[in-house]
mmCIF file of all heavy atoms in Angstrom:
data_model
loop_
_atom_site.group_PDB
_atom_site.id
_atom_site.type_symbol
_atom_site.label_atom_id
_atom_site.label_comp_id
_atom_site.label_asym_id
_atom_site.label_seq_id
_atom_site.Cartn_x
_atom_site.Cartn_y
_atom_site.Cartn_z
ATOM 1 N N PHE A 33 -15.818 26.301 12.954
ATOM 2 C CA PHE A 33 -14.947 25.751 11.959
ATOM 3 C C PHE A 33 -14.172 24.567 12.545
ATOM 4 O O PHE A 33 -13.938 24.451 13.732
ATOM 5 C CB PHE A 33 -13.981 26.887 11.466
ATOM 6 C CG PHE A 33 -13.056 27.399 12.541
ATOM 7 C CD1 PHE A 33 -11.732 26.868 12.688
ATOM 8 C CD2 PHE A 33 -13.497 28.331 13.470
ATOM 9 C CE1 PHE A 33 -10.901 27.436 13.657
ATOM 10 C CE2 PHE A 33 -12.655 28.802 14.516
ATOM 11 C CZ PHE A 33 -11.306 28.322 14.595
ATOM 12 N N THR A 35 -10.942 22.239 13.450
ATOM 13 C CA THR A 35 -9.447 22.302 13.733
ATOM 14 C C THR A 35 -9.046 20.824 13.826
ATOM 15 O O THR A 35 -9.938 19.908 13.872
ATOM 16 C CB THR A 35 -9.052 23.010 15.001
ATOM 17 O OG1 THR A 35 -9.199 22.197 16.197
ATOM 18 C CG2 THR A 35 -9.861 24.341 15.168
ATOM 19 N N THR A 37 -8.129 19.351 16.537
ATOM 20 C CA THR A 37 -8.537 18.873 17.794
ATOM 21 C C THR A 37 -10.096 18.676 17.938
ATOM 22 O O THR A 37 -10.575 17.592 17.931
ATOM 23 C CB THR A 37 -8.038 19.783 19.018
ATOM 24 O OG1 THR A 37 -8.568 21.084 18.728
ATOM 25 C CG2 THR A 37 -6.532 19.833 19.079
ATOM 26 N N VAL A 38 -10.763 19.773 17.957
ATOM 27 C CA VAL A 38 -12.208 19.799 18.030
ATOM 28 C C VAL A 38 -12.665 21.011 17.098
ATOM 29 O O VAL A 38 -11.887 21.819 16.774
ATOM 30 C CB VAL A 38 -12.798 19.893 19.414
ATOM 31 C CG1 VAL A 38 -12.381 18.668 20.251
ATOM 32 C CG2 VAL A 38 -12.409 21.169 20.117
ATOM 33 N N TYR A 39 -13.975 21.085 16.881
ATOM 34 C CA TYR A 39 -14.448 22.281 16.206
ATOM 35 C C TYR A 39 -14.447 23.551 17.107
ATOM 36 O O TYR A 39 -14.561 23.354 18.392
ATOM 37 C CB TYR A 39 -15.940 22.082 15.720
ATOM 38 C CG TYR A 39 -16.069 21.372 14.380
ATOM 39 C CD1 TYR A 39 -15.758 20.014 14.287
ATOM 40 C CD2 TYR A 39 -16.327 22.093 13.222
ATOM 41 C CE1 TYR A 39 -15.790 19.465 13.048
ATOM 42 C CE2 TYR A 39 -16.365 21.460 12.048
ATOM 43 C CZ TYR A 39 -16.072 20.153 11.869
ATOM 44 O OH TYR A 39 -16.228 19.491 10.661
ATOM 45 N N GLY A 40 -14.097 24.674 16.494
ATOM 46 C CA GLY A 40 -14.015 25.933 17.190
ATOM 47 C C GLY A 40 -15.111 26.853 16.886
ATOM 48 O O GLY A 40 -15.716 26.817 15.822
ATOM 49 N N LEU A 41 -15.462 27.797 17.740
ATOM 50 C CA LEU A 41 -16.535 28.874 17.530
ATOM 51 C C LEU A 41 -15.829 30.113 17.472
ATOM 52 O O LEU A 41 -15.433 30.730 18.522
ATOM 53 C CB LEU A 41 -17.485 28.729 18.716
ATOM 54 C CG LEU A 41 -18.465 29.930 18.883
ATOM 55 C CD1 LEU A 41 -19.214 30.175 17.656
ATOM 56 C CD2 LEU A 41 -19.404 29.649 20.019
ATOM 57 N N LYS A 58 -22.383 30.532 23.283
ATOM 58 C CA LYS A 58 -22.046 29.264 23.998
ATOM 59 C C LYS A 58 -22.877 29.138 25.269
ATOM 60 O O LYS A 58 -22.878 28.038 25.758
ATOM 61 C CB LYS A 58 -20.583 29.323 24.317
ATOM 62 C CG LYS A 58 -19.698 28.507 23.441
ATOM 63 C CD LYS A 58 -18.264 28.515 23.967
ATOM 64 C CE LYS A 58 -17.981 27.402 24.896
ATOM 65 N NZ LYS A 58 -17.594 26.152 24.427
ATOM 66 N N ARG A 60 -21.661 30.646 27.967
ATOM 67 C CA ARG A 60 -20.506 30.453 28.740
ATOM 68 C C ARG A 60 -20.303 31.665 29.687
ATOM 69 O O ARG A 60 -20.471 32.741 29.224
ATOM 70 C CB ARG A 60 -19.328 30.276 27.840
ATOM 71 C CG ARG A 60 -17.934 30.272 28.408
ATOM 72 C CD ARG A 60 -16.936 29.929 27.413
ATOM 73 N NE ARG A 60 -15.631 29.766 27.922
ATOM 74 C CZ ARG A 60 -14.688 29.034 27.273
ATOM 75 N NH1 ARG A 60 -14.931 28.398 26.231
ATOM 76 N NH2 ARG A 60 -13.455 28.974 27.839
ATOM 77 N N ASP A 63 -16.148 34.921 32.532
ATOM 78 C CA ASP A 63 -14.862 34.810 33.241
ATOM 79 C C ASP A 63 -13.939 33.712 32.776
ATOM 80 O O ASP A 63 -12.929 33.336 33.309
ATOM 81 C CB ASP A 63 -14.952 34.827 34.756
ATOM 82 C CG ASP A 63 -15.605 33.545 35.239
ATOM 83 O OD1 ASP A 63 -16.091 32.755 34.405
ATOM 84 O OD2 ASP A 63 -15.618 33.309 36.444
ATOM 85 N N ASN A 64 -14.429 33.005 31.791
ATOM 86 C CA ASN A 64 -13.726 31.856 31.229
ATOM 87 C C ASN A 64 -13.106 32.190 29.940
ATOM 88 O O ASN A 64 -13.680 32.193 28.927
ATOM 89 C CB ASN A 64 -14.670 30.617 31.100
ATOM 90 C CG ASN A 64 -13.959 29.365 30.776
ATOM 91 O OD1 ASN A 64 -12.699 29.364 30.694
ATOM 92 N ND2 ASN A 64 -14.702 28.314 30.590
ATOM 93 N N PRO A 65 -11.801 32.447 29.933
ATOM 94 C CA PRO A 65 -11.052 33.111 28.803
ATOM 95 C C PRO A 65 -11.106 32.194 27.503
ATOM 96 O O PRO A 65 -11.120 30.929 27.611
ATOM 97 C CB PRO A 65 -9.703 33.303 29.355
ATOM 98 C CG PRO A 65 -9.465 32.422 30.436
ATOM 99 C CD PRO A 65 -10.836 32.218 31.098
ATOM 100 N N LEU A 66 -10.814 32.889 26.324
ATOM 101 C CA LEU A 66 -10.857 32.260 25.154
ATOM 102 C C LEU A 66 -9.421 31.990 24.643
ATOM 103 O O LEU A 66 -8.507 32.776 25.038
ATOM 104 C CB LEU A 66 -11.602 33.125 24.074
ATOM 105 C CG LEU A 66 -13.048 33.584 24.580
ATOM 106 C CD1 LEU A 66 -13.630 34.570 23.552
ATOM 107 C CD2 LEU A 66 -13.898 32.412 24.705
ATOM 108 N N ILE A 67 -9.223 31.035 23.696
ATOM 109 C CA ILE A 67 -7.945 30.887 23.082
ATOM 110 C C ILE A 67 -7.802 31.694 21.791
ATOM 111 O O ILE A 67 -8.793 31.622 20.961
ATOM 112 C CB ILE A 67 -7.721 29.392 22.795
ATOM 113 C CG1 ILE A 67 -7.724 28.483 24.073
ATOM 114 C CG2 ILE A 67 -6.394 29.133 21.970
ATOM 115 C CD1 ILE A 67 -7.652 26.968 23.850
ATOM 116 N N HIS A 69 -6.331 32.131 18.246
ATOM 117 C CA HIS A 69 -5.715 31.230 17.151
ATOM 118 C C HIS A 69 -5.069 32.178 16.187
ATOM 119 O O HIS A 69 -5.676 33.064 15.679
ATOM 120 C CB HIS A 69 -6.867 30.387 16.554
ATOM 121 C CG HIS A 69 -7.488 29.388 17.416
ATOM 122 N ND1 HIS A 69 -8.227 29.741 18.523
ATOM 123 C CD2 HIS A 69 -7.382 28.045 17.486
ATOM 124 C CE1 HIS A 69 -8.596 28.614 19.124
ATOM 125 N NE2 HIS A 69 -8.146 27.556 18.518
ATOM 126 N N PRO A 98 -1.601 20.793 18.101
ATOM 127 C CA PRO A 98 -2.653 20.761 19.185
ATOM 128 C C PRO A 98 -2.052 21.248 20.482
ATOM 129 O O PRO A 98 -2.229 20.565 21.525
ATOM 130 C CB PRO A 98 -3.093 19.243 19.252
ATOM 131 C CG PRO A 98 -1.850 18.594 18.784
ATOM 132 C CD PRO A 98 -1.161 19.371 17.709
ATOM 133 N N THR A 100 -1.606 24.700 23.124
ATOM 134 C CA THR A 100 -1.892 26.107 23.409
ATOM 135 C C THR A 100 -0.946 26.558 24.569
ATOM 136 O O THR A 100 -0.751 25.860 25.495
ATOM 137 C CB THR A 100 -3.416 26.220 23.999
ATOM 138 O OG1 THR A 100 -4.325 25.864 22.992
ATOM 139 C CG2 THR A 100 -3.762 27.568 24.493
ATOM 140 N N ILE A 102 0.260 29.694 27.237
ATOM 141 C CA ILE A 102 -0.230 30.909 28.004
ATOM 142 C C ILE A 102 0.951 31.933 28.193
ATOM 143 O O ILE A 102 2.055 31.486 28.627
ATOM 144 C CB ILE A 102 -0.693 30.534 29.403
ATOM 145 C CG1 ILE A 102 -1.820 29.466 29.354
ATOM 146 C CG2 ILE A 102 -1.382 31.760 30.157
ATOM 147 C CD1 ILE A 102 -3.107 29.673 28.884
ATOM 148 N N PHE A 103 0.705 33.150 27.803
ATOM 149 C CA PHE A 103 1.670 34.286 27.870
ATOM 150 C C PHE A 103 1.010 35.449 28.585
ATOM 151 O O PHE A 103 -0.180 35.490 28.721
ATOM 152 C CB PHE A 103 2.099 34.684 26.436
ATOM 153 C CG PHE A 103 2.654 33.651 25.582
ATOM 154 C CD1 PHE A 103 1.814 32.913 24.801
ATOM 155 C CD2 PHE A 103 4.008 33.558 25.442
ATOM 156 C CE1 PHE A 103 2.344 31.951 23.912
ATOM 157 C CE2 PHE A 103 4.476 32.550 24.618
ATOM 158 C CZ PHE A 103 3.687 31.831 23.789
ATOM 159 N N THR A 113 -11.662 39.135 25.793
ATOM 160 C CA THR A 113 -11.143 37.873 25.208
ATOM 161 C C THR A 113 -10.457 37.018 26.245
ATOM 162 O O THR A 113 -10.532 35.774 26.179
ATOM 163 C CB THR A 113 -10.178 38.214 24.014
ATOM 164 O OG1 THR A 113 -10.825 38.969 23.012
ATOM 165 C CG2 THR A 113 -9.576 36.937 23.383
ATOM 166 N N THR A 114 -9.758 37.684 27.237
ATOM 167 C CA THR A 114 -9.025 36.923 28.231
ATOM 168 C C THR A 114 -9.739 36.690 29.564
ATOM 169 O O THR A 114 -9.192 36.351 30.586
ATOM 170 C CB THR A 114 -7.659 37.586 28.589
ATOM 171 O OG1 THR A 114 -7.960 38.801 29.235
ATOM 172 C CG2 THR A 114 -6.808 37.846 27.309
ATOM 173 N N LEU A 117 -8.236 38.466 32.488
ATOM 174 C CA LEU A 117 -6.861 38.136 32.891
ATOM 175 C C LEU A 117 -5.818 39.002 32.210
ATOM 176 O O LEU A 117 -6.051 39.453 31.111
ATOM 177 C CB LEU A 117 -6.603 36.632 32.632
ATOM 178 C CG LEU A 117 -7.429 35.632 33.424
ATOM 179 C CD1 LEU A 117 -7.031 34.185 32.944
ATOM 180 C CD2 LEU A 117 -7.286 35.742 34.843
ATOM 181 N N GLU A 118 -4.567 39.082 32.797
ATOM 182 C CA GLU A 118 -3.447 39.735 32.183
ATOM 183 C C GLU A 118 -2.765 38.746 31.264
ATOM 184 O O GLU A 118 -1.792 39.118 30.558
ATOM 185 C CB GLU A 118 -2.439 40.138 33.327
ATOM 186 C CG GLU A 118 -2.809 41.395 34.022
ATOM 187 C CD GLU A 118 -3.022 42.587 33.012
ATOM 188 O OE1 GLU A 118 -2.302 42.698 32.057
ATOM 189 O OE2 GLU A 118 -3.882 43.382 33.411
ATOM 190 N N THR A 119 -3.181 37.458 31.201
ATOM 191 C CA THR A 119 -2.520 36.450 30.363
ATOM 192 C C THR A 119 -3.463 36.143 29.179
ATOM 193 O O THR A 119 -4.653 36.366 29.266
ATOM 194 C CB THR A 119 -2.205 35.234 31.100
ATOM 195 O OG1 THR A 119 -3.414 34.806 31.798
ATOM 196 C CG2 THR A 119 -1.177 35.560 32.220
ATOM 197 N N VAL A 120 -2.844 35.565 28.117
ATOM 198 C CA VAL A 120 -3.561 35.189 27.042
ATOM 199 C C VAL A 120 -3.204 33.786 26.521
ATOM 200 O O VAL A 120 -1.921 33.485 26.494
ATOM 201 C CB VAL A 120 -3.480 36.231 25.791
ATOM 202 C CG1 VAL A 120 -2.034 36.334 25.335
ATOM 203 C CG2 VAL A 120 -4.361 35.854 24.621
ATOM 204 N N ALA A 121 -4.160 32.992 26.124
ATOM 205 C CA ALA A 121 -3.825 31.628 25.604
ATOM 206 C C ALA A 121 -3.740 31.802 24.026
ATOM 207 O O ALA A 121 -4.597 32.368 23.421
ATOM 208 C CB ALA A 121 -4.976 30.666 25.969
ATOM 209 N N VAL A 122 -2.718 31.170 23.482
ATOM 210 C CA VAL A 122 -2.487 31.305 22.040
ATOM 211 C C VAL A 122 -2.245 29.891 21.395
ATOM 212 O O VAL A 122 -1.529 29.003 22.000
ATOM 213 C CB VAL A 122 -1.233 32.151 21.720
ATOM 214 C CG1 VAL A 122 -1.159 32.442 20.208
ATOM 215 C CG2 VAL A 122 -1.343 33.539 22.448
ATOM 216 N N ARG A 123 -2.869 29.609 20.300
ATOM 217 C CA ARG A 123 -2.684 28.401 19.579
ATOM 218 C C ARG A 123 -2.550 28.625 18.070
ATOM 219 O O ARG A 123 -3.248 29.470 17.560
ATOM 220 C CB ARG A 123 -3.859 27.410 19.846
ATOM 221 C CG ARG A 123 -3.726 26.018 19.109
ATOM 222 C CD ARG A 123 -4.566 25.017 19.815
ATOM 223 N NE ARG A 123 -5.736 24.619 19.079
ATOM 224 C CZ ARG A 123 -5.800 23.761 18.082
ATOM 225 N NH1 ARG A 123 -4.691 23.259 17.624
ATOM 226 N NH2 ARG A 123 -6.941 23.432 17.567
ATOM 227 N N PRO A 125 -3.063 26.405 14.981
ATOM 228 C CA PRO A 125 -3.591 25.123 14.651
ATOM 229 C C PRO A 125 -2.959 24.613 13.307
ATOM 230 O O PRO A 125 -2.538 25.401 12.526
ATOM 231 C CB PRO A 125 -5.117 25.281 14.490
ATOM 232 C CG PRO A 125 -5.315 26.748 14.206
ATOM 233 C CD PRO A 125 -4.169 27.419 14.811
ATOM 234 N N ALA A 143 -11.371 31.394 19.661
ATOM 235 C CA ALA A 143 -12.266 30.254 19.502
ATOM 236 C C ALA A 143 -12.254 29.264 20.588
ATOM 237 O O ALA A 143 -11.267 28.554 20.824
ATOM 238 C CB ALA A 143 -11.897 29.588 18.160
ATOM 239 N N PRO A 144 -13.319 29.218 21.388
ATOM 240 C CA PRO A 144 -13.533 28.097 22.268
ATOM 241 C C PRO A 144 -14.061 26.961 21.445
ATOM 242 O O PRO A 144 -14.292 27.067 20.299
ATOM 243 C CB PRO A 144 -14.583 28.611 23.224
ATOM 244 C CG PRO A 144 -15.391 29.524 22.400
ATOM 245 C CD PRO A 144 -14.438 30.219 21.395
ATOM 246 N N SER A 145 -14.171 25.734 22.109
ATOM 247 C CA SER A 145 -14.811 24.636 21.400
ATOM 248 C C SER A 145 -16.271 25.043 21.088
ATOM 249 O O SER A 145 -16.859 25.796 21.859
ATOM 250 C CB SER A 145 -14.749 23.430 22.332
ATOM 251 O OG SER A 145 -15.166 23.749 23.587
ATOM 252 N N ALA A 146 -16.741 24.538 19.925
ATOM 253 C CA ALA A 146 -18.037 25.014 19.342
ATOM 254 C C ALA A 146 -19.226 24.286 19.904
ATOM 255 O O ALA A 146 -20.088 23.937 19.178
ATOM 256 C CB ALA A 146 -17.946 24.925 17.871
ATOM 257 N N ASN A 147 -19.238 24.043 21.184
ATOM 258 C CA ASN A 147 -20.358 23.349 21.850
ATOM 259 C C ASN A 147 -21.109 24.412 22.810
ATOM 260 O O ASN A 147 -20.446 25.409 23.150
ATOM 261 C CB ASN A 147 -19.839 22.216 22.733
ATOM 262 C CG ASN A 147 -18.715 22.631 23.631
ATOM 263 O OD1 ASN A 147 -17.607 22.842 23.210
ATOM 264 N ND2 ASN A 147 -19.009 22.840 24.984
ATOM 265 N N SER A 153 -17.259 18.555 23.643
ATOM 266 C CA SER A 153 -16.767 19.335 22.493
ATOM 267 C C SER A 153 -17.186 18.632 21.199
ATOM 268 O O SER A 153 -17.087 17.415 21.101
ATOM 269 C CB SER A 153 -15.278 19.454 22.550
ATOM 270 O OG SER A 153 -14.951 20.191 23.742
ATOM 271 N N LEU A 181 -9.798 15.352 21.083
ATOM 272 C CA LEU A 181 -9.740 15.992 22.358
ATOM 273 C C LEU A 181 -9.160 17.396 22.189
ATOM 274 O O LEU A 181 -8.306 17.589 21.323
ATOM 275 C CB LEU A 181 -8.870 15.207 23.294
ATOM 276 C CG LEU A 181 -9.271 13.826 23.757
ATOM 277 C CD1 LEU A 181 -8.176 13.256 24.684
ATOM 278 C CD2 LEU A 181 -10.638 13.867 24.418
ATOM 279 N N GLU A 182 -9.516 18.367 23.043
ATOM 280 C CA GLU A 182 -8.937 19.709 22.909
ATOM 281 C C GLU A 182 -7.434 19.707 23.158
ATOM 282 O O GLU A 182 -6.898 18.841 23.790
ATOM 283 C CB GLU A 182 -9.652 20.670 23.905
ATOM 284 C CG GLU A 182 -11.113 20.620 23.928
ATOM 285 C CD GLU A 182 -11.711 19.552 24.836
ATOM 286 O OE1 GLU A 182 -10.918 18.664 25.242
ATOM 287 O OE2 GLU A 182 -12.901 19.595 24.996
ATOM 288 N N SER A 183 -6.812 20.812 22.670
ATOM 289 C CA SER A 183 -5.383 20.994 22.809
ATOM 290 C C SER A 183 -4.873 20.891 24.173
ATOM 291 O O SER A 183 -5.529 21.172 25.156
ATOM 292 C CB SER A 183 -4.981 22.338 22.200
ATOM 293 O OG SER A 183 -5.569 23.373 22.946
ATOM 294 N N SER A 184 -3.527 20.468 24.256
ATOM 295 C CA SER A 184 -2.888 20.488 25.553
ATOM 296 C C SER A 184 -2.630 21.976 25.889
ATOM 297 O O SER A 184 -2.153 22.814 24.932
ATOM 298 C CB SER A 184 -1.556 19.803 25.508
ATOM 299 O OG SER A 184 -1.749 18.533 25.009
ATOM 300 N N ILE A 185 -2.827 22.484 27.115
ATOM 301 C CA ILE A 185 -2.486 23.864 27.464
ATOM 302 C C ILE A 185 -1.324 23.858 28.384
ATOM 303 O O ILE A 185 -1.314 23.137 29.418
ATOM 304 C CB ILE A 185 -3.718 24.510 28.215
ATOM 305 C CG1 ILE A 185 -4.894 24.450 27.285
ATOM 306 C CG2 ILE A 185 -3.370 25.927 28.539
ATOM 307 C CD1 ILE A 185 -6.205 25.185 27.843
ATOM 308 N N ASP A 187 1.238 26.487 30.577
ATOM 309 C CA ASP A 187 1.496 27.902 31.088
ATOM 310 C C ASP A 187 2.928 28.231 31.148
ATOM 311 O O ASP A 187 3.677 27.585 31.805
ATOM 312 C CB ASP A 187 0.813 27.980 32.430
ATOM 313 C CG ASP A 187 0.866 29.365 33.020
ATOM 314 O OD1 ASP A 187 1.344 30.275 32.371
ATOM 315 O OD2 ASP A 187 0.393 29.522 34.144
ATOM 316 N N LEU A 196 -1.817 22.902 32.135
ATOM 317 C CA LEU A 196 -3.126 23.282 32.778
ATOM 318 C C LEU A 196 -4.221 22.351 32.229
ATOM 319 O O LEU A 196 -5.261 22.266 32.944
ATOM 320 C CB LEU A 196 -3.442 24.689 32.437
ATOM 321 C CG LEU A 196 -2.378 25.827 32.804
ATOM 322 C CD1 LEU A 196 -3.008 27.185 32.622
ATOM 323 C CD2 LEU A 196 -1.918 25.648 34.252
ATOM 324 N N ARG A 197 -4.026 21.870 31.094
ATOM 325 C CA ARG A 197 -5.019 20.935 30.486
ATOM 326 C C ARG A 197 -4.326 19.851 29.715
ATOM 327 O O ARG A 197 -3.608 20.172 28.763
ATOM 328 C CB ARG A 197 -6.049 21.674 29.663
ATOM 329 C CG ARG A 197 -7.121 20.742 28.996
ATOM 330 C CD ARG A 197 -8.204 21.385 28.227
ATOM 331 N NE ARG A 197 -7.775 21.980 27.008
ATOM 332 C CZ ARG A 197 -8.479 22.816 26.184
ATOM 333 N NH1 ARG A 197 -9.727 22.945 26.516
ATOM 334 N NH2 ARG A 197 -7.933 23.258 25.084
ATOM 335 N N LYS A 229 -5.801 26.583 37.434
ATOM 336 C CA LYS A 229 -5.255 27.827 36.697
ATOM 337 C C LYS A 229 -5.942 28.098 35.442
ATOM 338 O O LYS A 229 -5.946 29.253 34.945
ATOM 339 C CB LYS A 229 -3.796 27.637 36.603
ATOM 340 C CG LYS A 229 -2.994 27.962 37.851
ATOM 341 C CD LYS A 229 -1.580 28.420 37.482
ATOM 342 C CE LYS A 229 -0.758 28.618 38.733
ATOM 343 N NZ LYS A 229 0.647 28.210 38.433
ATOM 344 N N ALA A 230 -6.480 27.017 34.720
ATOM 345 C CA ALA A 230 -7.255 27.340 33.509
ATOM 346 C C ALA A 230 -8.774 27.424 34.047
ATOM 347 O O ALA A 230 -9.302 26.434 34.430
ATOM 348 C CB ALA A 230 -7.002 26.136 32.570
ATOM 349 N N PRO A 231 -9.205 28.599 34.017
ATOM 350 C CA PRO A 231 -10.621 28.791 34.681
ATOM 351 C C PRO A 231 -11.650 27.742 34.137
ATOM 352 O O PRO A 231 -12.482 27.310 34.937
ATOM 353 C CB PRO A 231 -10.913 30.255 34.258
ATOM 354 C CG PRO A 231 -9.615 30.912 34.074
ATOM 355 C CD PRO A 231 -8.691 29.875 33.441
ATOM 356 N N GLY A 232 -11.541 27.390 32.876
ATOM 357 C CA GLY A 232 -12.532 26.482 32.259
ATOM 358 C C GLY A 232 -12.536 25.119 32.911
ATOM 359 O O GLY A 232 -13.522 24.373 32.891
ATOM 360 N N MET A 233 -11.405 24.773 33.539
ATOM 361 C CA MET A 233 -11.254 23.383 34.076
ATOM 362 C C MET A 233 -12.083 23.242 35.334
ATOM 363 O O MET A 233 -12.154 22.028 35.875
ATOM 364 C CB MET A 233 -9.772 23.062 34.361
ATOM 365 C CG MET A 233 -8.918 23.020 33.078
ATOM 366 S SD MET A 233 -9.412 21.804 31.914
ATOM 367 C CE MET A 233 -8.571 20.353 32.500
ATOM 368 N N LYS A 234 -12.574 24.328 35.873
ATOM 369 C CA LYS A 234 -13.425 24.140 37.136
ATOM 370 C C LYS A 234 -14.796 23.733 36.896
ATOM 371 O O LYS A 234 -15.481 23.272 37.772
ATOM 372 C CB LYS A 234 -13.300 25.397 37.969
ATOM 373 C CG LYS A 234 -14.131 26.578 37.456
ATOM 374 C CD LYS A 234 -14.050 27.783 38.356
ATOM 375 C CE LYS A 234 -14.820 28.987 37.808
ATOM 376 N NZ LYS A 234 -13.883 30.110 37.465
ATOM 377 N N HIS A 237 -17.786 19.519 32.769
ATOM 378 C CA HIS A 237 -17.661 19.730 31.384
ATOM 379 C C HIS A 237 -18.110 18.481 30.662
ATOM 380 O O HIS A 237 -18.320 17.458 31.204
ATOM 381 C CB HIS A 237 -16.170 19.822 31.047
ATOM 382 C CG HIS A 237 -15.814 21.211 30.577
ATOM 383 N ND1 HIS A 237 -14.516 21.501 30.189
ATOM 384 C CD2 HIS A 237 -16.518 22.326 30.412
ATOM 385 C CE1 HIS A 237 -14.442 22.751 29.806
ATOM 386 N NE2 HIS A 237 -15.648 23.284 29.907
ATOM 387 N N TYR A 238 -18.192 18.572 29.311
ATOM 388 C CA TYR A 238 -18.186 17.337 28.484
ATOM 389 C C TYR A 238 -19.342 16.430 28.949
ATOM 390 O O TYR A 238 -19.376 15.212 28.705
ATOM 391 C CB TYR A 238 -16.897 16.517 28.638
ATOM 392 C CG TYR A 238 -15.675 17.402 28.584
ATOM 393 C CD1 TYR A 238 -14.824 17.481 29.707
ATOM 394 C CD2 TYR A 238 -15.351 18.171 27.495
ATOM 395 C CE1 TYR A 238 -13.730 18.341 29.687
ATOM 396 C CE2 TYR A 238 -14.251 19.042 27.447
ATOM 397 C CZ TYR A 238 -13.402 19.049 28.537
ATOM 398 O OH TYR A 238 -12.324 19.838 28.609
HETATM 399 O O1 LIG B 1 -8.236 22.364 20.946
HETATM 400 C C1 LIG B 1 -8.615 23.481 21.476
HETATM 401 O O2 LIG B 1 -7.964 24.079 22.281
HETATM 402 C C2 LIG B 1 -10.028 23.979 21.033
HETATM 403 C C3 LIG B 1 -9.921 24.337 19.552
HETATM 404 C C4 LIG B 1 -11.163 25.065 19.119
HETATM 405 O O3 LIG B 1 -8.762 25.187 19.329
HETATM 406 N N1 LIG B 1 -10.409 25.094 21.828
HETATM 407 C C5 LIG B 1 -10.795 24.901 23.166
HETATM 408 O O4 LIG B 1 -11.134 26.214 23.787
HETATM 409 O O5 LIG B 1 -10.765 23.920 23.767
HETATM 410 P P1 LIG B 1 -12.005 26.193 25.100
HETATM 411 O O6 LIG B 1 -12.466 27.637 25.234
HETATM 412 O O7 LIG B 1 -13.117 25.188 25.061
HETATM 413 O O8 LIG B 1 -11.025 25.865 26.247
HETATM 414 C C6 LIG B 1 -9.988 26.862 26.595
HETATM 415 C C7 LIG B 1 -9.450 26.613 27.907
HETATM 416 C C8 LIG B 1 -10.415 26.851 29.067
HETATM 417 O O9 LIG B 1 -10.255 25.932 30.071
HETATM 418 C C9 LIG B 1 -9.896 28.208 29.567
HETATM 419 O O10 LIG B 1 -10.269 28.483 30.804
HETATM 420 C C10 LIG B 1 -8.422 28.036 29.289
HETATM 421 O O11 LIG B 1 -8.265 27.379 28.074
HETATM 422 N N2 LIG B 1 -7.686 29.416 29.170
HETATM 423 C C11 LIG B 1 -7.869 30.291 28.210
HETATM 424 N N3 LIG B 1 -7.134 31.407 28.491
HETATM 425 C C12 LIG B 1 -6.437 31.185 29.515
HETATM 426 C C13 LIG B 1 -5.536 31.912 30.337
HETATM 427 N N4 LIG B 1 -5.135 33.122 30.021
HETATM 428 N N5 LIG B 1 -5.007 31.321 31.464
HETATM 429 C C14 LIG B 1 -5.398 30.093 31.834
HETATM 430 N N6 LIG B 1 -6.267 29.337 31.157
HETATM 431 C C15 LIG B 1 -6.799 29.896 30.045
#
Side-chain angles (χ1 to χ4, degrees):
F33 64 99
T35 82
T37 56
V38 298
Y39 275 76
L41 165 56
K58 259 184 88 82
R60 171 173 183 154
D63 67 346
N64 187 2
L66 308 173
I67 296 174
H69 294 67
T100 296
I102 310 283
F103 300 89
T113 301
T114 66
L117 298 177
E118 281 304 325
T119 54
V120 60
V122 187
R123 180 157 105 82
S145 49
N147 50 287
S153 297
L181 294 181
E182 307 86 347
S183 60
S184 307
I185 302 181
D187 184 0
L196 305 188
R197 179 173 72 181
K229 281 205 186 145
M233 298 296 277
K234 71 177 177 246
H237 246 186
Y238 320 114

